[in-house]
Amino acid sequence: MSWNCSVRVVDDDDEGVSGAKVTLMGSLLGGYLSEYTDDDGWAEFEIDAKNDGSDWILDNIYINGEEVSGSVAVSDGETMSFNI
């Protein structure tokens, strides 16, 4: 069983930003996970872990090294979008 979420990074024109580094930080993750966005601005995260359906608590979300979100609960399959 696995848990996943997707983060989209967009510019001021709501166009996807390719190659942005998205980092999820959290103690439940064992530290952090980083992925780069695809041509449409999406970064996909998947964790092979037992999940009882509860949310994962992330301490921070960073894009290209800049914090875009503090502590947040993320549900399995959730999508988020951030403007840079």
Side-chain angles (χ1 to χ4, degrees):
M1 185 168 241
S2 65
W3 173 93
N4 67 72
C5 77
S6 303
V7 176
R8 186 159 194 238
V9 179
V10 297
D11 61 18
D12 289 334
D13 295 323
D14 288 329
E15 299 289 329
V17 176
S18 176
K21 183 178 181 181
V22 179
T23 303
L24 308 180
M25 301 215 41
S27 57
L28 291 176
L29 298 174
Y32 68 92
L33 295 173
S34 292
E35 295 289 342
Y36 288 88
T37 57
D38 63 14
D39 290 340
D40 198 31
W42 287 100
E44 308 285 335
F45 295 88
E46 185 171 352
I47 303 167
D48 290 327
K50 291 184 179 178
N51 188 346
D52 62 1
S54 61
D55 295 344
W56 284 70
I57 306 299
L58 302 177
D59 297 330
N60 304 88
I61 300 173
Y62 295 89
I63 298 176
N64 293 331
E66 301 223 7
E67 184 177 344
V68 294
S69 177
S71 181
V72 62
V74 181
S75 300
D76 183 30
E78 187 169 345
T79 61
M80 296 173 276
S81 180
F82 296 97
N83 183 285
I84 62 168

